[in-house]
Amino acid sequence: MPYELYYWDGLQGRGEFVRLALEYAGARYVDVARTEAGMKTMLKILGGKTGANIPFAPPFLKDGDLIIPHVANILFYLGPKLGLAPTDEAMRMIANGLQLTITDMVAEIHDTHHPIATSLYYEDQKPEAKARAGDFITNRIPKFFAYFERVLTANAGKHVIGDALSYVDLSLFQLYEGLRYAFPRATSHFAKDYEALTALHASIKRRKPIADYLKSNRRLPFNESGIFRHYPELDQDP
Ligand SMILES: N[C@@H](CCC(=O)N[C@@H](CS)C(=O)NCC(=O)O)C(=O)O
């Protein structure tokens, strides 16, 4: 039975971190909200009134009767099944810690365009977004990226954990790609300052399953509904 991925249609969003793992592994999956009546099915699950596994928000994955919410949790579950996680238990916990750090950064990226309220439009919080994005560019991108660069370099530079490609590497690819899209000025120094991350990003982009996926219509372009939004007025030199 194929995995069922539930995520909002029309944007890459947080669902993309899961898609990249499924696509890289060549797993059979259905992107449910993009199928006919899929949104209705997703909303019905989210509005459920019984059972112990009602998810709070997409993305969530359905594998048979099991429903798994949260990107990091989904990838923790899928990693071993897709051959995209270390086999050693302790290393899997370390991979999970790295993925949760990516989750934290993604939340901060979201807050650059929604610093006051998720329930308001970006247009309703533009001055605050400008201030938040400025701090994110000056302080937070360097802190997170220097950390990932350090971990990658400490692990000999090819993979962020273990000696083979994992779902964490794929998520770092998406983080790099998304930030380059959202903040081209602020990230123009990436190649110079984050050599290992830049090499990892380039090598993942070239791998056949990812290269094929990026060319396919399953990969939606970045847009201003997702996590990574390009608002030129929020971008600035680092
Ligand atoms: N920690 C969760 C965050 C999930 C999340 O915030 N999902 C967003 C879409 S990207 C959503 O639909 N949120 C609805 C809400 O917070 O009310 C994860 O990593 O999956």
Side-chain angles (χ1 to χ4, degrees):
M1 204 156 55
Y3 294 113
E4 292 177 10
L5 172 65
Y6 290 79
Y7 192 69
W8 306 112
D9 189 18
L11 58 150
Q12 292 182 17
R14 287 180 170 90
E16 198 64 16
F17 294 95
V18 181
R19 278 189 207 102
L20 283 167
L22 292 165
E23 290 281 345
Y24 184 80
R28 288 204 307 135
Y29 77 101
V30 181
D31 210 331
V32 179
R34 293 186 190 167
T35 64
E36 211 186 321
M39 277 299 289
K40 222 171 126 190
T41 312
M42 181 166 96
L43 293 173
K44 195 167 166 214
I45 295 174
L46 284 168
K49 298 254 186 321
T50 55
N53 57 355
I54 301 166
F56 174 72
F60 56 92
L61 185 88
K62 198 162 177 294
D63 185 9
D65 289 336
L66 181 61
I67 293 176
I68 304 143
H70 291 275
V71 172
N73 200 31
I74 297 168
L75 292 172
F76 188 73
Y77 175 78
L78 283 178
K81 297 181 193 303
L82 302 182
L84 282 173
T87 46
D88 177 76
E89 185 67 18
M91 295 281 272
R92 277 192 69 208
M93 300 312 290
I94 295 169
N96 192 38
L98 288 164
Q99 191 66 40
L100 286 165
T101 309
I102 293 172
T103 297
D104 288 347
M105 190 175 191
V106 167
E108 293 196 21
I109 295 164
H110 168 270
D111 290 353
T112 61
H113 45 79
H114 279 79
I116 299 294
T118 302
S119 53
L120 294 175
Y121 291 109
Y122 162 63
E123 285 71 21
D124 299 325
Q125 42 195 321
K126 282 176 83 165
E128 295 87 352
K130 178 72 188 150
R132 184 69 188 253
D135 181 73
F136 179 72
I137 288 166
T138 306
N139 295 313
R140 301 303 283 171
I141 292 182
K143 186 159 184 184
F144 277 109
F145 264 51
Y147 168 72
F148 290 128
E149 178 80 7
R150 194 152 43 94
V151 174
L152 192 52
T153 307
N155 194 41
K158 282 223 165 92
H159 311 289
V160 76
I161 179 84
D163 55 7
L165 187 116
S166 73
Y167 65 79
V168 190
D169 294 308
L170 294 171
S171 291
L172 283 175
F173 161 81
Q174 176 69 0
L175 206 51
Y176 190 112
E177 186 86 356
L179 286 170
R180 289 290 291 128
Y181 168 78
F183 301 107
R185 273 174 67 189
T187 59
S188 58
H189 65 108
F190 268 18
K192 179 168 67 71
D193 288 344
Y194 307 118
E195 282 181 25
L197 283 166
T198 300
L200 177 72
H201 169 262
S203 86
I204 289 179
K205 201 165 191 161
R206 279 195 306 270
R207 287 184 184 233
K208 188 158 172 24
I210 296 298
D212 288 349
Y213 170 59
L214 295 179
K215 274 188 271 164
S216 77
N217 59 9
R218 298 187 303 287
R219 168 80 166 188
L220 295 176
F222 286 112
N223 61 34
E224 281 52 65
S225 303
I227 294 289
F228 300 101
R229 302 185 182 193
H230 178 54
Y231 294 124
E233 64 275 21
L234 297 187
D235 197 9
Q236 64 183 51
D237 291 334

